[in-house]
Amino acid sequence: SGLLGARPLLASTVMGLPVRGGLRAEGGARGAALHSANRVPPARTTREWEEATWRRARRRVLALGGHQSECTTSAGPSEGGFERIEGVSRPAVALGKFNALHLGHRELICRASRMGHPCLLSFSGMSKILGRVSRPPLTATVDRDRVLRGWSDAMANGSQPKEVVIPFKDVRHLQPEDFVKVLVYEMGASGIVCGENYRFGYRAAGDASLLSELGAKHEIPVCVVDLVETPRGGGAPGAGGEEQGPRAISSSRISNLLAEGRMGAIAEMLGREYRLVVGCDDILRGARGGGGRSLSVPLESFRNLVPGPGTYPVSVVASGDERTTADCAGPGIAGTVRVGESDAILECSDDLDLEGEALLCMDFT
């Protein structure tokens, strides 16, 4: 019959969306109209088409109540959309926790600077959500700007890295590919950098290898960086004998060294002296005894993690800006700090004048 001569109605897909009738034989203006309606507009690249598809799906589910899982393979709801990284052109995202801002983190950021403006992307509220013990950071929040400014000269473009923090609750249910889509299509990342041991996505389902595959799929460069190692295994061996040879730098390793009081090994991993920060108002409220060249401060007053019990040489500087330690300048006052079970007793070679100061910093020399 006449049916034997007709071409079958085939189904094709464009980025996972079914497009029916695109290959059916039609003549005249109707055939031309169907062909034009069913093909991807030539002005759009594959990545632009994928981004448009993602955004349409996101708008639909957010309008219905914001359930991320209805338009992606995520396992739960999201609070809403994610903002684009503003204030920089071509943001290149380095992924990590960035607790210590150590030399391994600096290497990630340096690699990101070769792709665009380096941005550190981390997540807030992880400890609470995952039921972990919350501890003070290794690098005080008010000291991070100083460290990142110091790293600017090491960047390929000489720019200061930008910090981007998003709530962990908004990404914890994202499957690996959905997380990459957020980075690319919503936050506007132009490149992604991670360490070789990085994991991401719901229940840490994704690893660095999968991130590279997803980057290729969504046409965004991904750089996986080898772990940075110290040349001597984290400092001189103790009396009981310790590991020799190179040792990977990590925040957990630095925390362990801090508890042991091995400040030289920590400085090697940080690329700078460890800095302990306390607010001057906290000193005035909590200081007990002493005065002039001596000060006793409760351990809970410090803004970051305190070394284990022991006596350490320090250089003391002060900042008049409560938001950052970046304006600390000039030689510090030499002294020692004796860390006990509940207090740290600071003894200085000169009188401490804290009038008009907001932050007191102790650099472990």
Side-chain angles (χ1 to χ4, degrees):
S1 68
L3 293 176
L4 294 177
R7 291 187 180 183
L9 180 65
L10 300 179
S12 60
T13 62
V14 177
M15 305 309 296
L17 298 178
V19 179
R20 300 190 61 84
L23 299 180
R24 183 174 181 175
E26 295 283 353
R30 174 175 170 78
L34 283 173
H35 179 71
S36 175
N38 287 329
R39 65 189 177 98
V40 178
R44 280 187 174 181
T45 64
T46 301
R47 176 172 169 174
E48 290 170 338
W49 185 262
E50 177 77 4
E51 179 174 0
T53 302
W54 168 263
R55 289 187 177 280
R56 284 198 301 271
R58 288 277 290 167
R59 285 196 297 268
R60 284 198 299 268
V61 297
L62 291 177
L64 294 173
H67 288 284
Q68 175 81 6
S69 58
E70 292 182 33
C71 70
T72 71
T73 55
S74 302
S78 169
E79 290 290 320
F82 298 85
E83 295 182 358
R84 296 185 76 83
I85 299 175
E86 301 293 346
V88 298
S89 60
R90 300 184 62 249
V93 175
L95 301 173
K97 294 181 180 178
F98 303 109
N99 182 0
L101 291 181
H102 54 61
L103 291 180
H105 295 148
R106 190 180 74 166
E107 181 63 21
L108 293 178
I109 303 167
C110 284
R111 297 293 185 92
S113 73
R114 301 174 189 175
M115 299 177 171
H117 192 108
C119 298
L120 297 73
L121 179 62
S122 56
F123 310 105
S124 62
M126 286 187 66
S127 296
K128 182 178 180 180
I129 290 176
L130 298 178
R132 299 172 181 170
V133 176
S134 181
R135 298 191 301 177
L138 286 165
T139 297
T141 302
V142 293
D143 197 37
R144 295 177 70 86
D145 183 58
R146 176 187 70 96
V147 176
L148 294 178
R149 287 189 190 186
W151 287 355
S152 295
D153 290 342
M155 300 299 111
N157 48 24
S159 58
Q160 180 176 337
K162 178 184 179 69
E163 291 210 82
V164 179
V165 181
I166 57 180
F168 180 64
K169 63 182 176 64
D170 288 350
V171 299
R172 65 174 303 196
H173 293 297
L174 290 176
Q175 296 293 338
E177 185 166 8
D178 296 333
F179 177 66
V180 172
K181 288 180 179 180
V182 166
L183 295 180
V184 178
Y185 304 132
E186 298 200 40
M187 302 187 73
S190 64
I192 302 173
V193 179
C194 72
E196 62 178 277
N197 61 347
Y198 186 73
R199 301 199 68 89
F200 67 104
Y202 185 60
R203 297 187 183 277
D207 58 12
S209 177
L210 178 59
L211 184 60
S212 296
E213 295 176 14
L214 293 173
K217 178 178 179 180
H218 294 280
E219 300 181 1
I220 185 170
V222 173
C223 176
V224 178
V225 180
D226 293 338
L227 298 180
V228 176
E229 298 179 334
T230 57
R232 296 186 293 108
E242 298 179 12
E243 72 283 345
Q244 297 295 306
R247 183 72 182 262
I249 297 174
S250 69
S251 295
S252 59
R253 176 65 180 150
I254 293 173
S255 295
N256 292 336
L257 291 171
L258 194 65
E260 299 169 6
R262 296 174 57 191
M263 308 311 293
I266 292 173
E268 187 178 357
M269 292 187 172
L270 294 177
R272 64 185 186 277
E273 295 171 341
Y274 188 77
R275 170 169 284 189
L276 193 59
V277 181
V278 63
C280 290
D281 287 344
D282 295 328
I283 292 176
L284 294 176
R285 285 196 297 267
R288 294 189 289 274
R293 300 186 181 188
S294 179
L295 194 65
S296 175
V297 183
L299 298 187
E300 63 267 19
S301 297
F302 289 99
R303 304 287 183 89
N304 54 324
L305 206 57
V306 180
T311 300
Y312 308 92
V314 294
S315 177
V316 183
V317 292
S319 169
D321 189 342
E322 64 180 7
R323 299 167 299 175
T324 178
T325 66
D327 67 345
C328 292
I333 299 175
T336 61
V337 61
R338 186 169 71 252
V339 178
E341 295 299 327
S342 59
D343 297 80
I345 300 175
L346 176 63
E347 300 278 353
C348 293
S349 61
D350 202 352
D351 288 343
L352 285 172
D353 182 9
L354 299 181
E355 184 177 355
E357 303 292 358
L359 300 170
L360 183 72
C361 309
M362 305 177 200
D363 293 328
F364 287 70
T365 56

